[in-house]
Amino acid sequence: MGFVSELRYPTKWYAKLVAALVATAFFVFLASAILSGFLLYRILYPGQNRIEINTKDFPGHPDEISFDVPGVGARRAWFFPGLKIAPTIILCHGYQSSSGELLTLASALQDHEYNVLVFDFAGHGASPGHTTLGFRETRELQAAIAAIASRTDVDQKRFGLWGTNLGGYVALAVAEQDPRVRALALESVYDRPRDMLRLEIERSVLNRLPFLERATVQMFRWVNYPYRFEPPLSSRLASLAGVPKLLIEANDEPELAASTRNIFLQL
């Protein structure tokens, strides 16, 4: 009891030193937790880059459609009609981007008589919520494929997927599970969502603070606890045997270029 009392009301030099160290450690932990929570919030809510178009005047005359994502809600999409009964290419935008930035590519693919679909992942463009850097977005893409496969004016069993970073992860994850995906084009793809998380942490001005990365990664795991057993994409690449694949390394994304190369070498 005397030792505990000395720590609570220190009078000796060593007790004062221990009390100061404990107080310092507590405040460092508290500050790290607060800053990590702030940083994770900024990463998961990147800011919505919303672009509106007039579908009546836009080249290709896209149709505005919607589809439901189970347990999430509705998603608005733009469908660019191509040749009847032709395959559909779904364009998956990247992190801090939106479907509006893919409209030129969608028009170019439509000119080659493909059907094309673009939509916004959660936390981007017109879609509310927050990003999970790929976990839940996989369900969004699966719902989009299901919605298009229910149409009678497309080939219901042939899809192509294009995606960059976040969209690349989602496209690859879905392609590994859905045999209707017959072609893939991926740029700056990563193996696990936490790979993208660490990259965003490194880009932050807070990345030099002690324990910040570890605390932010741990919070990300807690937020995405239902996906804790989700395997890396590289563990299921064998299911893509025979599917044409194009992987692109971007010079302005050296870290993601390395992960793209590693995935390519395992195909």
Side-chain angles (χ1 to χ4, degrees):
M1 293 296 294
F3 178 74
V4 174
S5 178
E6 182 64 27
L7 287 179
R8 293 181 62 187
Y9 308 102
T11 58
K12 297 182 173 57
W13 69 269
Y14 61 83
K16 292 180 180 180
L17 177 61
V18 171
L21 290 175
V22 170
T24 300
F26 172 77
F27 284 113
V28 168
F29 172 80
L30 182 62
S32 296
I34 293 173
L35 291 173
S36 297
F38 170 75
L39 178 57
L40 183 61
Y41 177 86
R42 292 294 301 271
I43 293 173
L44 300 187
Y45 292 86
Q48 294 176 291
N49 181 20
R50 184 170 181 170
I51 299 177
E52 294 288 349
I53 69 168
N54 186 334
T55 56
K56 294 182 180 179
D57 299 332
F58 195 85
H61 305 290
D63 298 326
E64 185 174 320
I65 66 173
S66 65
F67 59 90
D68 290 323
V69 183
V72 177
R75 288 287 178 267
R76 188 181 69 169
W78 290 318
F79 178 76
F80 291 75
L83 186 67
K84 191 172 183 179
I85 313 300
T88 300
I89 298 176
I90 301 180
L91 305 181
C92 303
H93 67 77
Y95 178 72
Q96 291 185 322
S97 182
S98 71
S99 59
E101 299 182 18
L102 301 176
L103 297 179
T104 301
L105 176 57
S107 294
L109 291 169
Q110 184 191 37
D111 288 342
H112 287 81
E113 301 185 333
Y114 290 106
N115 299 293
V116 185
L117 183 77
V118 294
F119 70 96
D120 295 319
F121 290 123
H124 294 81
S127 296
H130 69 277
T131 180
T132 62
L133 301 181
F135 287 127
R136 189 183 57 227
E137 287 83 352
T138 300
R139 290 161 52 195
E140 296 181 55
L141 179 54
Q142 289 170 334
I145 291 177
I148 297 301
S150 67
R151 298 173 65 105
T152 59
D153 57 346
V154 302
D155 187 329
Q156 301 170 339
K157 296 183 179 179
R158 287 198 298 164
F159 288 84
L161 302 180
W162 177 95
T164 180
N165 56 64
L166 167 63
Y169 174 92
V170 176
L172 183 53
V174 170
E176 291 177 336
Q177 305 172 52
D178 194 332
R180 292 174 296 181
V181 177
R182 303 295 184 86
L184 274 173
L186 309 172
E187 179 183 339
S188 302
V189 64
Y190 48 89
D191 201 19
R192 295 173 180 265
R194 71 181 183 215
D195 297 337
M196 188 66 182
L197 174 69
R198 286 197 167 99
L199 179 57
E200 289 302 311
I201 294 172
E202 291 174 4
R203 291 172 173 172
S204 169
V205 296
L206 301 174
N207 69 332
R208 296 182 181 275
L209 297 177
F211 312 116
L212 183 79
E213 178 177 342
R214 181 176 298 179
T216 306
V217 170
Q218 186 58 51
M219 286 184 180
F220 181 72
R221 288 172 175 165
W222 291 338
V223 170
N224 295 289
Y225 186 76
Y227 306 102
R228 62 193 181 280
F229 297 124
E230 190 69 23
L233 296 182
S234 57
S235 67
R236 300 179 298 202
L237 293 174
S239 63
L240 294 173
V243 176
K245 298 170 283 289
L246 172 65
L247 276 71
I248 304 170
E249 298 179 21
N251 292 332
D252 59 342
E253 296 277 12
E255 297 88 354
L256 294 179
S259 65
T260 304
R261 187 181 313 113
N262 290 335
I263 289 175
F264 172 77
L265 293 175
Q266 296 179 66
L267 287 172

